[in-house]
Amino acid sequence: MMRALPATAGGRGAVACATAPVPRRSLLLSAAAGAALNAEQLPLRLPRGAAGAAAKIRASAATFSSTDDALAWAKKDNRRRLHVVYRVGYLDKTIKFYTECLGMKMLRKRDIPEEKYTNAFLGYRPEDSHFVVELTYNYGVDKYDIGEGFGHFGIGVDDVRLQIELVRAKGGKVTKEPGPIKGSKTVIAFVEDPDGYKFKILERPGTPEPLCQVMLRVSDLDRAISFYEKACGMELLRKRDNPEYKYTVAMMGYGPEEKNAVLELTYNYGVSEYTKGNAYAQIAIGTDDVYKTAEAVNLFGGQVVREPGPLPGISTKITSIVDPDGWKSVFVDNTDFAKELE
């Protein structure tokens, strides 16, 4: 769960951080409450005395004798993407679009009036085994800046053309008509939700994971690939260069692309920086051990912006990191997450 505040005038897409306590049912992303993903806001400023405590945590949790040891553990860790979090200005309209046009189901909804925000979790299958979206609506905030860095979400369907007909019939916005990807037989189309987030609809009959992609743009693809392989234990599933259109993509995941949600990294030739706005937030990933995860990230030069440990007043353990481009991920203890869904 995360809460956001509207952008301030003091910088492009800057967002103030909420500091109020978070209710128990909003555990997973409370450490990132209100945090924008702009690089200038990082590293996270720790309270007085917290830096020393963080160092003690790292020292006491040290378990790897080498980077090879850390990499081997990360590859064996029981990881999967849990959900992707982002802010919306039209919650009811967005929920209607996702359920009627995209065929998602409302899994759960939580209103926190004392904190002035509402969360909605939507997806195609249960949260305990599939990737879902977490929408955050902040009372009175109807517009966010998506920025240039966020690309799209991907949804696999049996028939793209039929899906696009449904979207159009329900009044949804189609931004690219169905057709094959250049140099491929895969049929895709693009639609846009009420807040301007793009969804790539791709033909993938019988897929066990319909919500299948999150695409983010990066400034150095090889650096990003190395980070997600080593610090996050992902596998490079495939890489495709498109010189005609001056971009390269890499698919990173924890299992075969046709069966799991993947991170699609896109590098546009010569582009070294993107604005991130204040709309997209982060991806939550399950892990068996947040302490080892943070240690591995540190060993491979990653940036831990929330030291591993339980959230204040509750037992759920998390750690938060950012990649070299400032994109955020939150690792959540698998056992604690399962208890959250009970």
Side-chain angles (χ1 to χ4, degrees):
M1 194 285 304
M2 54 81 58
R3 175 179 178 237
L5 300 177
T8 67
R12 192 163 46 187
V15 179
C17 291
T19 57
V22 180
R24 175 164 176 78
R25 291 296 298 169
S26 62
L27 305 181
L28 294 183
L29 300 174
S30 59
L37 299 182
N38 294 330
E40 63 266 26
Q41 290 184 287
L42 302 170
L44 186 67
R45 183 171 296 172
L46 297 173
R48 184 184 300 273
K56 289 180 181 178
I57 289 174
R58 285 195 295 270
S60 63
T63 55
F64 302 123
S65 59
S66 67
T67 54
D68 287 342
D69 188 22
L71 183 59
W73 176 82
K75 292 292 185 182
K76 293 187 291 185
D77 188 22
N78 185 28
R79 295 181 180 179
R80 73 173 181 89
R81 288 180 175 81
L82 305 178
H83 53 251
V84 59
V85 188
Y86 49 105
R87 305 169 180 98
V88 299
Y90 304 95
L91 186 59
D92 291 339
K93 188 185 296 185
T94 301
I95 290 172
K96 183 176 181 181
F97 176 84
Y98 286 15
T99 55
E100 295 186 0
C101 295
L102 300 181
M104 292 187 191
K105 298 177 182 178
M106 169 68 78
L107 301 173
R108 57 188 171 106
K109 187 177 181 181
R110 174 180 54 234
D111 186 44
I112 313 296
E114 61 271 22
E115 297 297 324
K116 298 183 179 180
Y117 68 88
T118 304
N119 292 126
F121 294 78
L122 296 97
Y124 294 97
R125 309 277 165 74
E127 281 184 77
D128 61 358
S129 56
H130 291 80
F131 191 51
V132 306
V133 300
E134 178 185 341
L135 307 178
T136 295
Y137 168 70
N138 292 284
Y139 292 8
V141 183
D142 61 7
K143 187 174 180 61
Y144 294 97
D145 176 16
I146 294 178
E148 304 165 334
F150 172 80
H152 61 256
F153 303 110
I155 295 178
V157 300
D158 290 340
D159 190 314
V160 169
R161 291 178 174 82
L162 285 178
Q163 187 68 44
I164 293 303
E165 288 179 12
L166 174 62
V167 171
R168 187 174 281 115
K170 293 292 185 177
K173 183 177 180 180
V174 178
T175 58
K176 185 182 186 303
E177 295 294 332
I181 299 175
K182 295 289 184 180
S184 171
K185 295 181 180 179
T186 302
V187 177
I188 67 166
F190 276 89
V191 302
E192 196 172 287
D193 79 359
D195 290 273
Y197 291 100
K198 293 179 174 59
F199 283 79
K200 179 169 71 174
I201 312 299
L202 62 158
E203 204 150 286
R204 188 174 287 178
T207 179
E209 189 68 280
L211 183 61
C212 57
Q213 294 176 354
V214 177
M215 192 276 261
L216 303 174
R217 297 182 175 93
V218 297
S219 60
D220 185 326
L221 188 59
D222 290 338
R223 179 182 66 177
I225 290 171
S226 178
F227 174 85
Y228 283 104
E229 282 183 323
K230 295 177 180 178
C232 298
M234 295 184 193
E235 179 184 353
L236 174 60
L237 302 173
R238 63 185 174 95
K239 184 178 179 181
R240 184 181 73 249
D241 187 36
N242 296 273
E244 181 181 356
Y245 297 96
K246 298 183 178 181
Y247 73 91
T248 307
V249 298
M251 300 295 187
M252 310 293 301
Y254 292 114
E257 186 178 350
E258 64 275 11
K259 295 182 179 180
N260 298 274
V262 301
L263 179 63
E264 178 180 349
L265 303 175
T266 297
Y267 168 68
N268 293 286
Y269 292 8
V271 181
S272 61
E273 186 177 0
Y274 297 98
T275 60
K276 293 184 175 62
N278 61 357
Y280 174 85
Q282 57 219 348
I283 293 175
I285 300 170
T287 176
D288 288 334
D289 192 320
V290 296
Y291 298 95
K292 287 185 177 181
T293 293
E295 185 186 350
V297 170
N298 280 321
L299 283 174
F300 290 111
Q303 190 173 17
V304 176
V305 295
R306 190 206 188 274
E307 292 294 334
L311 292 169
I314 53 180
S315 60
T316 297
K317 296 178 289 295
I318 72 167
T319 188
S320 301
I321 70 169
V322 292
D323 75 1
D325 289 276
W327 296 116
K328 193 170 189 177
S329 298
V330 176
F331 285 86
V332 184
D333 180 270
N334 286 324
T335 300
D336 294 343
F337 177 68
K339 290 177 181 178
E340 280 299 303
L341 299 180
E342 291 177 353

